[in-house]
Amino acid sequence: MSKKILIIDDDPNILDYLSALFTDNGYDVQVAPDAVKGLEAARRFLPDLITLDIEMPGDWGPRFYRQMMQVKELKNTPVIVISGLSGNEHAIPKAIAAVKKPFDREELLRIVKEAIG
Amino acid sequence: MAETVLIMDSDREHGEAIRTYLQRHQYDVTVACDAQKILVHLENQTWNILLGDPLIDGGTAASGIADFLKQDAMVQLIVYGTTEQVDRAMDRFALDASAYMELPVNSKALMLNMARARNHSLKNRKIDRYVQRLTDLHTARNHFLQLFDSVPCFISVQDRNLRITAINKWFKQHFGNSVGGYCYQIYKHRTSPCEKCPVIQTFEDGQIHSTEEVVTALSGRQYHVLTHTAPIMDEKDEITQVMEISTNITQIRQLQDHLTSLGLMLGSMSHGVKGMLTALDGGIYQLETGLQKQDEARVSRAFEQVKTMADKIRDMGLEILNYARSRQMQYAPVPVADLVENVMKNIRPGAAKNNVICKVFLPDSPGIIEIDSVWMESALVNFLENAVDACAYDHEKPVHKVSLTVTIEPAERVCFRIQDNGVGMDQETREKMFTLFFTSKGSRGTGLGLFIAHRVIQQHGGTVQVTSFLNQGTELIICLPRIPPGSVGENGVNPVSS
């Protein structure tokens, strides 16, 4: 069974891009446009990895992460931060990687592969 | 040094006798016996006293002697001669001679006249010096006045009550002849002194103080000025007045504001730009892989995305350019109907693409409005585009509408009401919507559009009123005077940099 990735980003274009990229590389993908929907999707979908945008309207990425940590089934799920904010590598200290937009897709795929195969 | 005396006497022996007598009294004496010799002596040497008959040889030297006296006020003429000679000399020289003596010369009278001539000469010298000094003073005063006037600053001198007692030309040109008025009144149209007045501080401590102020000139223009004060003391070292020197730094401030917000803008926009570039990457990736897989749906979707992103990046570039360009307001009368038509031309395509119905309501003969059409059109387009976007973001309502209603209100105000039934705004968004770099569109907005649009409306002397309810829609009422306040006599300034 293929590994599952949940993508959380408020920009539909980027959701589209990441979802195509991961699907093309054999992952099972779901997307969420904000942190609230992201949390719902995560509970339901139980992904192997989450990519998270830091700067989103409504609930910010870091708050999503704190809430996610309180869910037993999710708290060990690796998170990759993908954001345009510089200094994003410190926003979520436990994230396995922080990628800056615009990112190198080979690099992103390599990080994902290292994390979940 | 002995005084030099030239004796003019045709009787050589008589002349020599007088010379001997005078030499005994320490005078440096020369005798000339005819007109020609007198003229030669006058030409070659300076003399303190000319003594004798100036009309010697039938008066051939008279005009030369008169010239000599006129040239140098120190030279004194003492006439002696026969009754006839003295009489003729009186006719010719009158007050130009300091004494007239008939022969035979009384030695006491001669010495007294010589002494008096000397006194005369000294007094004349003194007066000469005073005149010279007065002239110097006058020149210096004029020079200082000229300096005071031509300094390219606003200079005023004020008394303890902050009443202006003197101003320079620049001050007069920009603030009128305000001597006698109060500083705070002339500069700021206030009725009481400003807080932390540097003039008052200088009166208190005698030190130089400085502040930065915004003042309003006669023309209604506002200037940023850097003000310095300096005490003016009397001879007892007491401060009687204070001089205030204000330098106009408006342009520097404008430039600084402009640069600051430009820098701020570039910083804050980089996030948006990064998002767009990522999305563009995404589009290109999908295009590439779509072509490889010959997935036509993916290709056309990707192409659409690339196109949209290219548009967005272009728009953002244009907005930056728009903002960076420093353009003066150029007001011109425009028919309201034309303005609305031009604006709607820009709006309709985008609205149609998002299935938003556009309605325009114009009154009969809405008339003419004086605006800078380039700025005003882009402002109204911006408001309407936001209305269309608000509809496009809403997924709750089946039908979306944007309407523009023009009404003519009392006091010659033209109002544009823009209504939409889009996503609406919460209170926070409503309050911040005109703030620089605030955007509710996430990476899709620059936070510049409404900020600039609002400034344009303000610059035209207009107002914007916002009513909005989340998930219901938004109503904007933009009211403009038919003639903007800054249009008479002078152009306004760039709405974003002023």
Side-chain angles (χ1 to χ4, degrees):
Chain A
M1 205 178 92
S2 46
K3 300 274 184 177
K4 295 184 285 186
I5 302 180
L6 173 64
I7 306 161
I8 307 175
D9 200 305
D10 68 313
D11 187 337
N13 294 311
I14 290 167
L15 287 183
D16 227 32
Y17 175 27
L18 288 174
S19 123
L21 181 67
F22 292 140
T23 312
D24 289 348
N25 286 279
Y27 296 103
D28 186 4
V29 175
Q30 285 219 355
V31 298
D34 61 53
V36 176
K37 292 203 177 89
L39 203 62
E40 278 170 29
R43 283 178 200 275
R44 218 174 40 239
F45 184 52
L46 296 174
D48 297 297
L49 182 133
I50 296 173
T51 75
L52 179 65
D53 183 15
I54 293 289
E55 203 183 38
M56 288 185 297
D59 222 352
W60 275 42
R63 221 181 293 172
F64 165 86
Y65 190 77
R66 274 202 303 279
Q67 288 174 2
M68 179 191 123
M69 282 296 111
Q70 284 158 21
V71 180
K72 211 176 91 193
E73 299 85 352
L74 298 175
K75 74 176 187 197
N76 292 319
T77 310
V79 170
I80 298 177
V81 170
I82 299 181
S83 166
L85 278 182
S86 47
N88 60 6
E89 55 272 38
H90 309 300
I92 294 175
K94 285 188 198 160
I96 59 160
V99 176
K100 275 184 205 162
K101 289 178 190 170
F103 50 82
D104 176 352
R105 57 173 173 260
E106 296 306 325
E107 167 86 5
L108 179 64
L109 285 172
R110 192 183 51 74
I111 295 169
V112 171
K113 202 167 170 121
E114 265 173 28
I116 57 174
Chain B
M1 215 178 80
E3 296 224 292
T4 50
V5 182
L6 178 64
I7 294 175
M8 307 170 290
D9 200 328
S10 50
D11 181 347
R12 173 167 290 276
E13 271 176 43
H14 184 260
E16 293 291 342
I18 295 211
R19 179 167 86 132
T20 314
Y21 181 75
L22 288 177
Q23 275 176 336
R24 228 181 290 150
H25 288 87
Q26 313 301 322
Y27 287 95
D28 175 0
V29 189
T30 308
V31 181
C33 296
D34 56 52
Q36 207 188 337
K37 285 208 182 88
I38 292 171
L39 290 175
V40 172
H41 281 305
L42 289 184
E43 191 149 322
N44 295 336
Q45 209 186 322
T46 57
W47 301 93
N48 298 113
I49 293 168
L50 305 182
L51 176 64
D53 181 11
L55 295 173
I56 204 166
D57 283 347
T60 30
S63 59
I65 293 169
D67 284 349
F68 194 74
L69 291 172
K70 213 184 279 169
Q71 269 170 28
D72 188 350
M74 304 305 147
V75 185
Q76 300 293 315
L77 171 64
I78 300 169
V79 175
Y80 70 75
T82 60
T83 311
E84 250 172 60
Q85 283 172 326
V86 168
D87 194 55
R88 268 184 287 140
M90 281 176 171
D91 285 343
R92 176 70 176 79
F93 287 92
L95 289 174
D96 289 346
S98 58
Y100 293 93
M101 291 183 297
E102 277 183 36
L103 288 173
V105 172
N106 177 308
S107 62
K108 262 190 207 166
L110 176 62
M111 290 319 292
L112 282 174
N113 280 328
M114 292 293 281
R116 199 163 62 176
R118 187 197 164 96
N119 280 346
H120 255 284
S121 172
L122 287 176
K123 265 181 205 154
N124 277 354
R125 188 168 299 156
K126 244 187 208 166
I127 289 171
D128 248 23
R129 266 205 306 267
Y130 286 145
V131 169
Q132 185 58 43
R133 243 183 259 168
L134 269 176
T135 316
D136 288 352
L137 267 176
H138 190 70
T139 316
R141 190 177 161 271
N142 275 345
H143 190 63
F144 282 126
L145 213 63
Q146 211 178 348
L147 281 178
F148 182 68
D149 264 345
S150 57
V151 174
C153 296
F154 309 124
I155 305 181
S156 65
V157 179
Q158 300 172 22
D159 66 13
R160 268 181 197 280
N161 299 320
L162 307 180
R163 205 181 261 275
I164 296 174
T165 60
I167 54 175
N168 73 338
K169 209 160 90 191
W170 267 63
F171 192 104
K172 202 169 175 177
Q173 271 170 10
H174 290 85
F175 298 94
N177 194 353
S178 19
V179 171
Y182 293 99
C183 170
Y184 46 84
Q185 209 175 31
I186 307 296
Y187 262 144
K188 295 202 169 178
H189 307 287
R190 289 170 63 106
T191 51
S192 60
C194 314
E195 268 177 54
K196 290 193 175 172
C197 167
V199 176
I200 292 176
Q201 286 176 316
T202 299
F203 267 120
E204 278 167 6
D205 62 12
Q207 303 292 310
I208 289 171
H209 289 277
S210 62
T211 53
E212 203 183 313
E213 306 283 343
V214 176
V215 295
T216 311
L218 276 183
S219 64
R221 272 173 187 248
Q222 293 204 316
Y223 298 136
H224 284 260
V225 291
L226 189 64
T227 299
H228 284 91
T229 53
I232 298 176
M233 320 244 193
D234 62 7
E235 55 282 2
K236 290 178 210 147
D237 270 359
E238 270 168 29
I239 303 169
T240 53
Q241 305 197 88
V242 166
M243 178 159 69
E244 191 182 66
I245 304 147
S246 298
T247 316
N248 187 350
I249 54 166
T250 312
Q251 280 187 324
I252 298 171
R253 277 284 162 272
Q254 279 180 0
L255 195 67
Q256 218 172 35
D257 282 359
H258 201 60
L259 288 176
T260 310
S261 44
L262 206 64
L264 216 78
M265 172 175 77
L266 292 176
S268 86
M269 259 183 2
S270 68
H271 177 245
V273 173
K274 283 173 190 166
M276 287 184 197
L277 292 175
T278 313
L280 190 64
D281 272 358
I284 292 166
Y285 169 77
Q286 307 240 48
L287 201 59
E288 252 176 7
T289 50
L291 287 169
Q292 276 164 16
K293 293 175 201 274
Q294 302 201 326
D295 177 347
E296 212 167 295
R298 183 183 267 210
V299 168
S300 67
R301 205 175 62 232
F303 183 66
E304 211 38 55
Q305 189 177 334
V306 168
K307 226 165 69 178
T308 312
M309 282 305 125
D311 278 354
K312 285 225 160 88
I313 291 167
R314 189 203 57 196
D315 285 353
M316 187 177 249
L318 286 178
E319 260 177 37
I320 297 171
L321 290 180
N322 219 358
Y323 183 80
R325 129 190 108 155
S326 186
R327 186 173 168 279
Q328 296 259 305
M329 281 279 160
Q330 281 158 0
Y331 297 113
V334 174
V336 174
D338 289 6
L339 171 66
V340 169
E341 181 50 36
N342 285 342
V343 168
M344 291 316 292
K345 236 188 269 170
N346 279 294
I347 293 304
R348 285 202 180 91
K353 197 174 154 193
N354 289 293
N355 293 319
V356 177
I357 299 163
C358 276
K359 285 251 165 73
V360 176
F361 302 97
L362 264 177
D364 295 335
S365 55
I368 303 279
I369 187 165
E370 202 175 312
I371 50 167
D372 181 307
S373 54
V374 174
W375 278 114
M376 186 51 71
E377 273 176 26
S378 67
L380 291 178
V381 164
N382 205 295
F383 286 125
L384 280 157
E385 265 175 1
N386 273 286
V388 171
D389 285 350
C391 290
Y393 296 152
D394 179 67
H395 305 295
E396 310 289 323
K397 303 172 201 82
V399 179
H400 288 109
K401 276 190 244 174
V402 169
S403 69
L404 171 62
T405 312
V406 181
T407 55
I408 308 300
E409 302 295 328
E412 283 299 279
R413 287 179 86 77
V414 182
C415 293
F416 302 82
R417 196 166 74 212
I418 298 169
Q419 287 167 299
D420 69 67
N421 64 341
V423 285
M425 289 181 278
D426 58 19
Q427 193 183 338
E428 194 190 352
T429 309
R430 207 165 56 230
E431 281 167 4
K432 286 188 186 162
M433 63 186 283
F434 297 131
T435 314
L436 184 58
F437 309 134
F438 173 78
T439 178
S440 62
K441 298 180 182 175
S443 55
R444 289 179 293 279
T446 58
L448 268 176
L450 283 178
F451 167 76
I452 295 176
H454 189 230
R455 293 294 288 261
V456 171
I457 301 298
Q458 283 181 327
Q459 194 70 25
H460 280 74
T463 53
V464 184
Q465 204 185 311
V466 188
T467 323
S468 185
F469 295 100
L470 204 57
N471 300 323
Q472 290 179 33
T474 300
E475 178 184 83
L476 287 180
I477 302 177
I478 299 147
C479 284
L480 297 172
R482 269 203 208 273
I483 295 169
S487 93
V488 189
E490 57 175 324
N491 276 327
V493 288
N494 185 333
V496 289
S497 67
S498 68

